[in-house]
Amino acid sequence: MMQDAVLVLDCGATNVRAIAIDKRGQILARGVVANASEPAAEDPAWHNWSLDHILQRFQQCCQQIAPQLDRLNLRAMTVTTFGVDGALTDDKGALLYPIISWKCPRTVPIMHDIARMIDPQTLQQISGIGQFSFNTLYKLLWLKLNQPQALENAHAWLFISSLINQRLTGEFTTDRTMAGTSQLMDLHTGAFSDVILPRAGIPARLFPRQVAPGDIVGELRPQMANFLGIRPGIPVISAGHDTQFALFGSGAGLGEPVLSSGTWEILMVRSAQINTALLPQYPGSTCELDSHPAWFNPGLQWLASGVLEWVRKSWWPQAEGAAVYQQMMAEAAVLPPGAQGVTMQGNLLEGSDSGWRGVTLNTTRGHFYRAALENLTWQLKNNLQVLETLGGFRARELLLVGGGSRNMLWNQMKADILDLPIKILSEAETTVVGAALYAWAGCGEFASADAARASLEWRYRTLWPGEQRDLWKTLRSKPC
């Protein structure tokens, strides 16, 4: 008898993956292929995503796990991706202009000039989304200025998850959680804003019907089924923005903060209410729509493992594989808190003052890595205090998910500096598990995604503040 499973297609900035999961949340098969943006034709410093290449990578992932998939009865499939990115399409789903990557700098001037159309504070109070140059709003404004014919002729704007779903099913939809990252929605109504769109000159007709997590988008078309090597007719269930499903897949309830640690660290909490008037007071703050239809996800985000990867490439350029991270941690672990006076300043994304201070002829690469870890942890401490204000709660512990949660040196540093227990979910794949739970509900196996989640057994590892926590209190208590 074949085992039932759902298939999650996970498009991340670093990897594309196809993962089969049973109804107990156990991973049955995993295929992984590296993902990367590509230089734009107009300027090699600009970044685009190729939808065709992403789909080909999904095909490669499915080929990797074909023997396992042949033994499974796939009940449904779903797609989860990073937020904000998307493209204009014609009525057949063909792209009228490439997908502009969140890494692309071309939209920075658009963001800086947004006050001509709408006050940034008003913008955030309506949408919940802070001023980030990669926001969907700025991509559409860039297209309006530089590709006006594409905007005028477009049948739809599709976020990247909906682009993939359209190829899978032929259906034009808008993932609700993806739309919640766009800076185009009214956070309180859950609809595209009738203030923001007119002021930006963006027609509401561009956004097709909205689907919530767990809704059926359509059925897998025979052509795409053959392309991926799986049977046609499988229901494709809506998921959307990976952060929301990482929150759900972590087991977090209301008022339980979660740090999703990856290229970006995203600190969020599930909340039944949000005072958006507070958001503009805190740089880096944002509020997105939770996977639950009545909840919100206030949070803050900052570049994290993206900084650490830059450190790795700069000081460990020849090393590859998992062993290099163990080596980096070992070289940093022998140094005391404070990295013997070496500190990292700023966030390395912007600002002429970013970099390292306290460097001497005795400084090693371990100092640079440890100083980066410490800087990021102080940022976390400050941001957790801000999140408590925004969400109206007091953190009793912090739940860690994502790739960064495997760095045990960093995890213990977080416990010591925050002076809080750090809980690490034993299953690192919280995003795909969260999306899979909605797929199981969407295909009728459970009455709801919450019921699917309640059936799982959660296992955590807890790190407690250690002997060094008092030493940290004598050092700087906020990031530089």
Side-chain angles (χ1 to χ4, degrees):
M1 183 174 176
M2 299 179 75
Q3 184 176 1
D4 286 353
V6 297
L7 183 66
V8 179
L9 301 183
D10 176 31
C11 177
T14 303
N15 294 300
V16 162
R17 304 181 300 166
I19 300 180
I21 300 179
D22 70 13
K23 63 183 179 182
R24 298 183 305 276
Q26 300 299 307
I27 292 177
L28 305 176
R30 179 194 284 111
V32 183
V33 173
N35 197 19
S37 59
E38 300 172 7
E42 304 98 318
D43 187 332
W46 293 357
H47 297 268
N48 292 334
W49 296 106
S50 167
L51 179 60
D52 288 339
H53 290 169
I54 288 172
L55 293 171
Q56 289 166 10
R57 289 162 190 152
F58 278 132
Q59 180 190 49
Q60 294 170 35
C61 290
C62 290
Q63 289 172 345
Q64 290 177 15
I65 58 175
Q68 296 100 307
L69 293 179
D70 287 343
R71 297 192 293 269
L72 298 175
N73 176 33
L74 290 183
R75 296 278 304 279
M77 61 191 301
T78 191
V79 176
T80 182
T81 68
F82 44 82
V84 307
D85 292 355
L88 297 169
T89 77
D90 65 16
D91 59 359
K92 305 297 184 185
L95 273 60
L96 301 181
Y97 189 81
I99 304 167
I100 301 173
S101 168
W102 59 268
K103 293 188 275 188
C104 188
R106 79 182 81 176
T107 51
V108 172
I110 305 291
M111 179 188 69
H112 291 321
D113 200 36
I114 193 62
R116 289 194 310 106
M117 297 180 181
I118 184 170
D119 175 68
Q121 290 189 342
T122 302
L123 186 57
Q124 188 167 19
Q125 288 171 4
I126 295 172
S127 70
I129 304 300
Q131 291 293 88
F132 302 103
S133 63
F134 48 66
N135 290 343
T136 312
L137 171 60
Y138 307 129
K139 292 181 171 67
L140 280 165
L141 288 174
W142 186 91
L143 290 166
K144 181 181 175 184
L145 288 171
N146 296 277
Q147 298 289 326
Q149 286 300 115
L151 187 67
E152 182 178 340
N153 296 332
H155 173 72
W157 167 272
L158 297 181
F159 294 96
I160 192 166
S161 59
S162 292
L163 284 168
I164 297 168
N165 284 335
Q166 196 280 329
R167 293 295 178 91
L168 295 175
T169 67
E171 297 291 328
F172 288 83
T173 57
T174 299
D175 283 331
R176 178 179 182 273
T177 57
M178 291 290 288
T181 71
S182 67
Q183 208 177 25
L184 293 165
M185 295 193 77
D186 186 319
L187 188 72
H188 299 287
T189 67
F192 285 96
S193 170
D194 57 8
V195 174
I196 298 171
L197 293 187
R199 293 195 189 179
I202 298 170
R205 65 168 179 79
L206 290 176
F207 305 101
R209 67 180 174 95
Q210 198 176 129
V211 288
D215 288 350
I216 296 176
V217 175
E219 293 185 349
L220 181 64
R221 296 190 292 180
Q223 179 181 357
M224 285 303 297
N226 183 63
F227 177 76
L228 295 173
I230 56 182
R231 70 174 176 84
I234 298 170
V236 177
I237 309 297
S238 176
H241 187 217
D242 49 17
T243 300
Q244 274 62 54
F245 298 95
L247 282 170
F248 186 76
S250 72
L254 285 174
E256 297 178 353
V258 178
L259 180 68
S260 179
S261 186
T263 302
W264 291 78
E265 283 205 320
I266 304 174
L267 178 65
M268 282 190 161
V269 69
R270 307 183 79 195
S271 175
Q273 56 187 1
I274 180 66
N275 180 359
T276 55
L278 289 176
L279 293 172
Q281 301 177 29
Y282 300 100
S285 69
T286 194
C287 187
E288 299 173 1
L289 295 171
D290 188 75
S291 58
H292 188 287
W295 293 359
F296 307 95
N297 298 147
L300 298 101
Q301 61 188 43
W302 59 99
L303 193 63
S305 293
V307 171
L308 302 180
E309 273 297 289
W310 181 83
V311 171
R312 180 191 68 79
K313 291 176 182 177
S314 298
W315 279 281
W316 285 266
Q318 306 305 321
E320 296 181 359
V324 65
Y325 298 103
Q326 296 301 320
Q327 182 181 351
M328 292 166 69
M329 283 186 274
E331 293 183 33
V334 298
L335 300 169
Q340 296 177 325
V342 178
T343 60
M344 190 184 102
Q345 318 294 318
N347 59 21
L348 301 191
L349 267 182
E350 55 187 24
S352 58
D353 293 332
S354 294
W356 279 260
R357 293 180 183 172
V359 177
T360 71
L361 292 176
N362 294 319
T363 299
T364 68
R365 61 186 184 177
H367 287 87
F368 290 107
Y369 182 57
R370 183 176 185 103
L373 291 174
E374 293 183 1
N375 171 278
L376 293 169
T377 309
W378 288 118
Q379 287 189 55
L380 169 62
K381 181 178 178 68
N382 182 66
N383 288 335
L384 181 57
Q385 292 170 348
V386 170
L387 186 62
E388 288 174 331
T389 299
L390 294 175
F393 71 99
R394 179 63 61 185
R396 298 179 181 177
E397 59 190 17
L398 180 65
L399 181 58
L400 277 186
V401 301
S405 66
R406 294 190 289 268
N407 188 324
M408 299 312 294
L409 171 65
W410 198 9
N411 292 342
Q412 186 60 56
M413 196 179 290
K414 290 170 180 173
D416 292 342
I417 290 179
L418 269 58
D419 199 12
L420 285 174
I422 299 294
K423 287 175 60 177
I424 306 159
L425 192 62
S426 58
E427 176 51 71
E429 299 286 6
T430 53
T431 296
V432 295
V433 169
L437 294 173
Y438 274 95
W440 280 114
C443 71
E445 183 65 28
F446 294 92
S448 67
D450 285 328
R453 194 174 78 157
S455 71
L456 304 189
E457 180 181 346
W458 303 95
R459 295 187 298 276
Y460 300 95
R461 175 180 180 179
T462 301
L463 293 182
W464 299 88
E467 297 177 356
Q468 291 186 334
R469 66 177 178 180
D470 291 332
L471 178 57
W472 285 110
K473 294 176 182 178
T474 68
L475 299 170
R476 58 194 175 108
S477 57
K478 61 182 181 179
C480 293

